[in-house]
Amino acid sequence: MDSTTQLTIHRTGTTTPARTSGSPAPPGSHKITHSGAYVYDPDRPAGSLHLRAARVLEGNWTGTSTVPSHGLYPHQWSWDSAFIAIGLRHLSPLRAQTELETLLGAQWGDGRIPHIVFNPSVPLDAYFPSPDFWRSSTAGRAAGAPRTVQTSGIVQPPVHALAAWLVHQADPGLSRSRSFLSRMYPRLAAWHRYLLHRRDLGGGGLASVVHPWEQGMDNSPCWDAPLSRVTPAAPRSFRRADLDHGSAEDRPTDLDYGRYVRLATDYRDGGYADGAGEFAVEDPAFNALLIASEHALAAIAQELGAAGTARHARAERLTAALVERLWDPAEGMFFCRDVYGGDERGGESYGGDARDEGESGALGSERRSSESGAHGSERGSRSGALAPEQHSAENSAHASERRSRQSGAHASERRSRQSGAHASEQRSRAGALIPERSVAGLLPLILPALPRDIAATLVRTAGGPHFGLGGVARLAPSYDLTGHAFDPHRYWRGPAWFNTNWLLERGLRLHGEHGRAEELRAALLETADTSGFAEYVDPYTGEACGALGFSWTAALTLDLLHEPARADQADRPDRADRADQSTHVVSHPGHRAFDKAQGTPPHTSHASHTPHTPHTPHSSFETGAKGGDRG
């Protein structure tokens, strides 16, 4: 019996009828273990979707982390590992914890989590940009880059606190016995501080990305206008390894790639100081994930004995900032804001006719409202709001972490804040909303404090002609189906991706759209099955594009298979009254056999004996409810 077969074994040996892709959970498919956790326990024949997804993750495991794809992406990627851990928790909570621990072990002293952690056993010419391009240990010294591991110098979306909380829920006994959350919390808190302080380049409370690779949707048409200001690097100054594994017609153009390289080179040569570059964009998906992660950090703080109320309050303030700076009521969705865009007065609109007439009036009024009212209080309260979180992190198990943060690299963070990011705030301005419809503009649907009318409008936009969800499109495309730059196969300029659709499925459920969410879940499972767990697919046909056997596709497929009851769990008024609600959400069938097969030490779960402080969930996540152009 191989390890992936062992991985799917339920230790009691009981089975229930097999599920087909997208079908509802059969009666009796949830069992209760001795610790009180639900276990999803279908019959899994040799060719089942569950087993094939598990084999993808097994094949991409390196021993300490999971690569997205051995050929195209042979290192560890930041937000990939977060999504991968969310799926791995159903197979091996221990491995899921290890995935996140490995990533956060490469965190910089200033708090940033790099978007790539390089595997030293991979040849330099196998991937570009390689470690010798980023030069993290030397160019990143002032920012506290680690000396013992090579990384990139940019970041990716902050999904990590969400992942850590869900991984903890998968096996609270294991998590507590390993002090998983108490070790993760100070690092995650530092990560959020970095984004909320160093990356508030627009001065309105939201985090900016300083490179398209940071937002994750690397080749989106949203970047075309701000990138047009960047002089591209000479084509002969770099070699694109991504074209060895994918068609040039599906990848970014050489011109775009030259601009990516120029931005990264300038950032590196500036010592990775924030705010000095030509590119700064406030993205709705990046900030929505940061806000959702703030809610998750509040839940983690509660698990560790702190109140968590300051983090929930900050998340709600950031939600208000997101609406005021990036919401366009006339278009019914969120847009990216080019912080350095617009006219010389910081004007609001780009030229062109990419959107409907009358746009400038709606955008102008939105901008004026964003410059007054709640944003004044947001700017005035950010520093004060951090104090409760810092105190909770410094108590009990976090004292040693505090001491290490106060020395060495964190001293350089204080110095660099006084020059880099804070100097940039003096030249920051309202910027301009970028008139391109991206799936990123739908993802704030994951936020629990999103105003009800905005959530309802986002649902209508998702199902309308621009995204076709539930209609002409099998999955939500990455870019406007009617847009001037739409291409169903070119990287992030039209294809559908599993992680963005997984987030949309959660958002739909959170806001009561259970029927639409179930339709999307069924489409995701069917497409994963027929595409061979493709990296991305044609949104109309589901045709596989990019790498096959892609890790986050397999991982999120497992998550969808394992949590068919989350619609019933979501929005239940009595959730907060249940003791240890987390143990009734996710499953981990056969993970002890899996861990044993991998040579990892066994553990004993104490979930039923360990006291746990119940809390009121603020998010559906609390109920369980990549080539060279990645950098």
Side-chain angles (χ1 to χ4, degrees), residues 396-418:
S396 62
H398 305 316
S400 61
E401 184 70 22
R402 174 180 60 83
R403 289 192 294 270
S404 66
R405 286 206 307 268
Q406 288 178 337
S407 61
H410 277 282
S412 69
E413 178 194 355
R414 291 192 295 271
R415 291 191 298 271
S416 61
R417 280 209 306 265
Q418 294 172 354

Side-chain angles (χ1 to χ4, degrees), residues 261-420:
V261 172
R262 171 68 67 188
L263 276 177
T265 301
D266 290 348
Y267 194 39
R268 177 199 67 199
D269 294 348
Y272 296 108
D274 294 309
E278 299 177 78
F279 184 99
V281 174
E282 295 171 354
D283 174 76
F286 191 100
N287 281 280
L289 289 168
L290 175 59
I291 295 166
S293 288
E294 274 291 302
H295 283 304
L297 270 186
I300 293 172
Q302 288 179 278
E303 165 69 22
L304 296 175
T309 53
R311 287 204 174 277
H312 282 312
R314 183 185 299 122
E316 291 173 2
R317 289 196 304 274
L318 289 170
T319 301
L322 183 74
V323 170
E324 291 177 15
R325 286 188 68 79
L326 305 185
W327 174 249
D328 182 352
E331 297 299 326
M333 66 180 300
F334 291 86
F335 288 91
C336 294
R337 181 178 292 276
D338 182 0
V339 172
Y340 304 145
D343 59 29
E344 293 180 357
R345 298 180 302 277
E348 187 62 36
S349 59
Y350 279 102
D353 55 355
R355 288 190 284 175
D356 300 335
E357 293 182 2
E359 166 191 52
S360 59
L363 293 179
S365 61
E366 184 277 331
R367 176 179 61 83
R368 287 190 293 273
S369 67
S370 73
E371 293 172 351
S372 61
H375 273 292
S377 61
E378 170 67 16
R379 287 191 292 268
S381 62
R382 278 200 309 276
S383 59
L386 285 172
E389 172 275 313
Q390 289 173 339
H391 287 305
S392 65
E394 290 169 2
N395 288 334
S396 62
H398 305 316
S400 61
E401 184 70 22
R402 174 180 60 83
R403 289 192 294 270
S404 66
R405 286 206 307 268
Q406 288 178 337
S407 61
H410 277 282
S412 69
E413 178 194 355
R414 291 192 295 271
R415 291 191 298 271
S416 61
R417 280 209 306 265
Q418 294 172 354
S419 56

